[in-house]
Amino acid sequence: MNTDFLQKYFEKNAKRYIFGATTEAEELIEIHKNNDLEVIAIIDNFYQQEFFVGLPCIKLEQVPEDALVVSAVTNSRPVDVNNLLEKHRLNYCDYFYFYRNSGFQCPKIEFWEGVLSHWESNQENYNEVKSWFEDDYSVSTFESIVNFRNKYDLSFMKDFKFDITNMYIESFLNPFEDQSVFFDLGAFDGSDSERFLRNCPSGNAYLFEPIPSQTAILEKKYQHNKAIQVVPVAVGSINKTVNFSLSGTSSKVVEPDQNEDVISVQQISIDEFCSENKVSPSYVKMDVEGVELDVLHGMENTILRDKPMLAISVYHRAEHLISVPQYLKKLCPEYKFFLRHYTQGYSETVLFAV
């Protein structure tokens, strides 16, 4: 990226393009319209439609060499996108650079609301949590994530890869004991449970998924697999009926009237489930869209009794990067902590307690 990129980008006759048919691209298009800046086209080799939000959608090979490109890719592979644009010798900047330097009110990353103020108010706690990690890789991951989200600077992610092929299966977890029991909290398509069972063929998996259409798919998919049991409920601190939004992999518990596309589902605590079914988990994976601490409160007895290995998403809320390990450290001091991040963007930061 040339240092004078934005100067050229704001010139009257600049050939402006946006890379990626993303939600951020929609916002950027609106910002450009409001500031009388023409965007010629959206670049996306995988988008199937001819137009995106009224703009032509073209392939990377069609972009002229004098184009000025803003990447609107913020998750999964934003570093790879930069490398791709570099390979094609295009003048470009990534979304985070544009956010910092354009002078426009670009939309913030949803999960990063309040991260900087939280860090500024809790630096001692951040340093304490960092000292708990068992390996240098966890420490460097923690530092990179904190800097990335505080500074909106993608350079802190340059060494990360997008790799979810073996997510939740790390060397410090293996080998699993025979007949280990896996709790998949936020199972969605069951892929995480399948991955666990490939590494523990004698094990059993409980897939907790409250979306009726999704549980129907899972029940049909695994109807002949005795190692897998689908549990059609949400999980939380207590048993109750909750409102659940329908947003694919981002579906979550919401307040009443917060979202038009909601359904009522039954929520259960893990402690209650284990007591009723006389089952003890060996390993619990938790990706529940921001209610991780609430779920942990509902499994205190299970943690104290069974001390299962835990893999908990800690990227949905600003405070979770430190509040989740703090909670676990207080509840069960013998846990050892590791941190892994499976994308080049803002999602899939996982705390492991072993």
Side-chain angles (χ1 to χ4, degrees):
M1 180 181 65
N2 295 334
T3 55
D4 60 349
F5 173 85
L6 287 179
Q7 181 180 339
K8 293 180 179 179
Y9 191 83
F10 291 128
E11 290 177 358
K12 182 177 181 180
N13 297 318
K15 296 181 179 178
R16 304 178 196 88
Y17 293 78
I18 294 175
F19 186 100
T22 66
T23 300
E24 289 79 8
E26 294 184 36
E27 300 279 356
L28 288 178
I29 290 168
E30 189 65 24
I31 288 171
H32 281 71
K33 286 181 180 179
N34 292 339
N35 288 275
D36 295 321
L37 294 171
E38 179 190 11
V39 176
I40 295 174
I42 302 298
I43 308 164
D44 197 312
N45 282 15
F46 301 100
Y47 191 69
Q48 298 299 313
Q49 306 299 319
E50 292 186 16
F51 292 90
F52 178 80
V53 195
L55 290 177
C57 192
I58 65 174
K59 308 302 182 187
L60 184 59
E61 294 72 21
Q62 299 172 268
V63 180
E65 62 181 16
D66 59 346
L68 296 164
V69 183
V70 174
S71 171
V73 177
T74 61
N75 201 24
S76 297
R77 294 184 173 91
V79 175
D80 288 347
V81 169
N82 281 5
N83 293 337
L84 182 64
L85 295 171
E86 190 84 33
K87 181 180 178 181
H88 281 75
R89 298 182 179 179
L90 292 170
N91 203 353
Y92 72 94
C93 78
D94 60 65
Y95 180 85
F96 304 95
Y97 181 91
F98 195 79
Y99 176 93
R100 296 195 319 272
N101 297 294
S102 67
F104 295 145
Q105 289 292 105
C106 300
K108 297 179 179 180
I109 302 300
E110 178 186 358
F111 299 140
W112 290 359
E113 190 67 38
V115 294
L116 183 57
S117 60
H118 187 264
W119 177 78
E120 289 174 340
S121 302
N122 295 277
Q123 290 188 41
E124 289 187 6
N125 291 324
Y126 275 83
N127 288 331
E128 181 181 37
V129 168
K130 184 171 69 171
S131 73
W132 294 341
F133 292 119
E134 290 293 316
D135 61 347
D136 291 340
Y137 189 78
S138 294
V139 172
S140 65
T141 298
F142 182 85
E143 292 174 340
S144 295
I145 296 301
V146 169
N147 280 312
F148 177 40
R149 66 185 200 170
N150 281 349
K151 299 178 180 181
Y152 272 75
D153 188 342
L154 189 60
S155 67
F156 290 105
M157 305 304 288
K158 61 182 176 59
D159 295 326
F160 287 84
K161 306 294 182 186
F162 175 79
D163 185 7
I164 59 174
T165 56
N166 211 30
M167 194 170 171
Y168 302 118
I169 306 298
E170 297 289 344
S171 59
F172 47 79
L173 301 173
N174 282 324
F176 295 111
E177 294 182 1
D178 289 344
Q179 298 180 334
S180 289
V181 175
F182 183 61
F183 276 16
D184 192 346
L185 310 186
F188 194 66
D189 64 359
S191 58
D192 297 326
S193 290
E194 291 178 13
R195 192 176 303 120
F196 167 78
L197 291 171
R198 285 196 294 271
N199 286 270
C200 185
S202 64
N204 291 277
Y206 290 80
L207 281 62
F208 292 77
E209 177 56 53
I211 304 174
S213 59
Q214 200 61 34
T215 56
I217 292 172
L218 292 173
E219 287 169 348
K220 182 177 180 180
K221 182 179 181 181
Y222 300 121
Q223 60 182 324
H224 301 301
N225 190 332
K226 294 181 179 180
I228 292 179
Q229 179 173 325
V230 179
V231 187
V233 298
V235 284
S237 58
I238 59 174
N239 293 5
K240 64 178 182 178
T241 300
V242 295
N243 295 293
F244 207 80
S245 73
L246 301 179
S247 309
T249 56
S250 298
S251 300
K252 59 185 177 182
V253 175
V254 296
E255 295 298 323
D257 302 324
Q258 185 175 327
N259 190 309
E260 292 182 3
D261 194 11
V262 299
I263 58 172
S264 294
V265 300
Q266 183 62 37
Q267 174 182 287
I268 190 172
S269 74
I270 292 301
D271 281 345
E272 189 73 21
F273 178 83
C274 290
S275 176
E276 288 181 359
N277 294 275
K278 295 180 172 54
V279 61
S280 297
S282 313
Y283 181 24
V284 179
K285 162 250 168 172
M286 189 185 306
D287 187 351
V288 288
E289 302 301 318
V291 296
E292 282 77 8
L293 273 175
D294 188 61
V295 174
L296 285 170
H297 284 301
M299 60 181 295
E300 283 190 359
N301 294 335
T302 302
I303 290 174
L304 291 172
R305 183 187 66 242
D306 303 320
K307 296 179 177 58
M309 295 185 294
L310 306 171
I312 305 172
S313 293
V314 288
Y315 64 91
H316 296 108
R317 294 183 182 274
E319 67 275 13
H320 278 185
L321 192 61
I322 64 168
S323 62
V324 171
Q326 286 175 321
Y327 170 80
L328 291 173
K329 187 75 169 179
K330 184 176 181 180
L331 181 64
C332 191
E334 56 265 47
Y335 268 137
K336 296 179 179 180
F337 296 113
F338 298 83
L339 192 72
R340 294 295 184 264
H341 186 80
Y342 296 96
T343 72
Q344 298 171 339
Y346 58 79
S347 73
E348 311 307 345
T349 309
V350 179
L351 175 77
F352 292 88
V354 180

